[in-house]
Amino acid sequence: MSEIVKPAGRGRWLQLAFGVVCMCMIANMQYGWTFFVNPMQERHGWDRAAIQVAFTLFVVTETWLVPIEGWFVDKYGPRIVTLFGGLLCGIAWVINSYADSLTVLYIAAAIGGTGAGAVYGTCVGNSLKWFPDRRGLAAGITAMGFGAGSALTVVPIQAMIKSQGYEAAFFYFGIGQGVIVMLIALFLRSPAKGQVPEIARVSQSKRDYKPSEMVRTPIFWVMYAMFVMMAAGGLMATAQLGPIAKDFKIADVPVSLLGITLPALTFAATLDRVLNGVTRPFFGWVSDHIGRENTMFLSFAIEGLGIYALSQFGQNPIAFVLLTGLVFFAWGEIYSLFPATCGDTFGSKYAATNAGLLYTAKGTAALIVPYTSVLTTMTGSWHAVFLAAAALNIVAALLALFVLKPMRAAYTKKPEASLAPVLAQ
């Protein structure tokens, strides 16, 4: 066994690196979109809200189709699904470059979301399979590629939009990103049986649960509810960063930290992006050593306290920058902790499909976010939004320690016995 595992030990890090590169290539599909909105509005005269419908369509298709794409990964391997996803991502941005109507823009968004979801689900699921002993770290590093990958191309994209127009940026970056993903896809593969270590410091299932079995277990829905709470709680506080800074009247106030001086909103947005990427492998690594639920309790509680502190002290420019950074740092880890916990609980064989089903909680949470504007209008301030977000995070933290932890211990220690009553119903 040791002779089989040692070569895989080197090769699996290469597989992880391939996944990170693919995630970096699709990151602009979501995080680079903001640079194109104003140029499209100026060129075509489209309403900004109408343009942003395309982004909503992208998020929906990128999220809700992952379980289907994950099923193909589990059945046919990561290579073909990533090839398909890279092709769709490239096609979507090329269509964007020629789009002369909102309808065409929406079609491209759906195509791009499908492609990005295929790549995202494949890379995360494959990392869970290659690293059963370090799922938290592996999922975190992979998710970091998506969370921070767009930082590499922020300046080049903005420069091309300014010099050649947004159409050229869509066209050339679309082709470039799509081709790179497709080339990397040729080298992706799943581990063979017995090729990876099976010993981990965290509790893990002794069997592989099929997706149909997983969704019939109460523990899955506990995790799903926690994922929704965390995603919604974080999104409610972070998706409105610009309007919040404007209402606090500190958006353009200069802030000096570590020898750098920037407007408060610009400083916060830059710092938040970096911390949102760093937190994923960091807390994933922590969870590999102290346990998933203990790490969830710690990070979720920090998130809740950070959001509450932001509501109390956010009108101070320096506090705004530091506290939003803390909020992003304690929020981004959900994209490593939940996939890792899902793999630990339900096994590796169907990891891509199972993690994909859990990932749809992000789409569910996104449906809650628009109500922040309604709540703000009703109350006349952001205070109620912050309190609601903080409350959701604290509840999720308590659920992790006092509900999820004992439930998961029962599943991983006695999987057959724990599942039997559910399947008998």
Side-chain angles (χ1 to χ4, degrees):
M1 177 65 72
S2 60
E3 293 178 357
I4 297 176
V5 171
K6 284 183 180 179
R10 295 188 293 269
R12 64 179 184 160
W13 288 102
L14 189 59
Q15 287 293 313
L16 186 67
F18 290 152
V20 171
V21 173
C22 289
M23 294 287 265
C24 288
M25 289 300 102
I26 67 168
N28 279 319
M29 304 288 290
Q30 177 171 325
Y31 294 106
W33 173 259
T34 185
F35 303 126
F36 295 92
V37 176
N38 287 336
M40 282 192 287
Q41 183 183 30
E42 294 170 2
R43 178 65 56 86
H44 299 284
W46 297 330
D47 181 71
R48 183 175 296 180
I51 294 174
Q52 293 292 26
V53 170
F55 185 75
T56 301
L57 287 173
F58 168 83
V59 173
V60 170
T61 51
E62 185 257 345
T63 303
W64 283 93
L65 294 180
V66 169
I68 299 174
E69 294 151 351
W71 180 86
F72 279 99
V73 173
D74 290 333
K75 188 171 181 63
Y76 299 108
R79 188 173 302 163
I80 185 65
V81 179
T82 308
L83 273 169
F84 178 72
L87 177 63
L88 291 186
C89 287
I91 289 174
W93 269 33
V94 170
I95 293 176
N96 281 338
S97 70
Y98 290 100
D100 56 3
S101 70
L102 288 170
T103 300
V104 176
L105 195 69
Y106 296 161
I107 292 172
I111 294 173
T114 303
V119 177
Y120 188 104
T122 300
C123 294
V124 171
N126 211 38
S127 71
L128 298 178
K129 293 182 179 183
W130 276 103
F131 288 85
D133 56 328
R134 299 181 182 179
R135 283 197 176 106
L137 177 63
I141 292 175
T142 305
M144 182 179 67
F146 188 75
S150 61
L152 301 174
T153 50
V154 167
V155 174
I157 284 180
Q158 289 180 315
M160 182 171 284
I161 291 175
K162 185 176 181 179
S163 62
Q164 301 182 44
Y166 82 86
E167 297 94 339
F170 266 139
F171 185 85
Y172 290 110
F173 275 90
I175 291 178
Q177 292 166 173
V179 167
I180 291 174
V181 171
M182 294 178 70
L183 289 175
I184 294 295
L186 298 176
F187 300 95
L188 289 176
R189 61 186 179 88
S190 298
K193 184 176 178 60
Q195 195 176 7
V196 294
E198 297 181 359
I199 300 175
R201 298 180 182 179
V202 298
S203 59
Q204 295 186 344
S205 174
K206 302 300 187 296
R207 56 159 291 186
D208 296 306
Y209 289 71
K210 296 179 180 178
S212 59
E213 294 175 325
M214 181 186 71
V215 298
R216 295 162 64 185
T217 62
I219 193 171
F220 170 76
W221 294 106
V222 170
M223 285 193 286
Y224 195 93
M226 290 172 57
F227 201 148
V228 171
M229 290 178 191
M230 284 302 302
L235 286 171
M236 279 197 286
T238 59
Q240 304 283 9
L241 189 65
I244 291 170
K246 182 179 179 181
D247 290 347
F248 282 175
K249 297 180 173 56
I250 49 91
D252 299 319
V253 177
V255 171
S256 296
L257 289 171
L258 301 176
I260 301 173
T261 301
L262 291 170
L265 180 58
T266 303
F267 209 141
T270 304
L271 182 63
D272 295 347
R273 179 170 292 188
V274 173
L275 293 177
N276 188 38
V278 171
T279 185
R280 303 178 187 207
F282 172 75
F283 275 114
W285 173 81
V286 170
S287 73
D288 286 335
H289 290 78
I290 70 171
R292 311 293 184 219
E293 298 88 356
N294 295 337
T295 307
M296 285 181 176
F297 176 78
L298 177 65
S299 57
F300 296 177
I302 292 174
E303 170 80 353
L305 294 175
I307 291 175
Y308 180 75
L310 186 61
S311 71
Q312 300 297 312
F313 309 108
Q315 295 185 7
N316 179 289
I318 295 178
F320 180 83
V321 172
L322 295 177
L323 288 173
T324 55
L326 178 64
V327 167
F328 269 87
F329 182 72
W331 177 61
E333 88 291 329
I334 63 176
Y335 300 108
S336 57
L337 293 184
F338 281 107
T341 306
C342 185
D344 291 342
T345 309
F346 300 110
S348 297
K349 185 175 182 179
Y350 306 100
T353 309
N354 291 340
L357 283 167
L358 185 59
Y359 184 63
T360 62
K362 176 184 175 183
T364 303
L367 299 177
I368 301 174
V369 175
Y371 291 99
T372 59
S373 298
V374 177
L375 188 57
T376 302
T377 301
M378 291 174 59
T379 61
S381 74
W382 290 100
H383 189 65
V385 173
F386 282 121
L387 287 180
L392 287 173
N393 282 271
I394 296 300
V395 170
L398 295 174
L399 285 174
L401 203 57
F402 299 108
V403 178
L404 181 62
K405 188 173 184 177
M407 286 183 70
R408 208 166 72 83
Y411 273 73
T412 53
K413 289 179 180 178
K414 298 179 180 180
E416 297 291 346
S418 62
L419 185 62
V422 179
L423 299 181
Q425 293 179 359

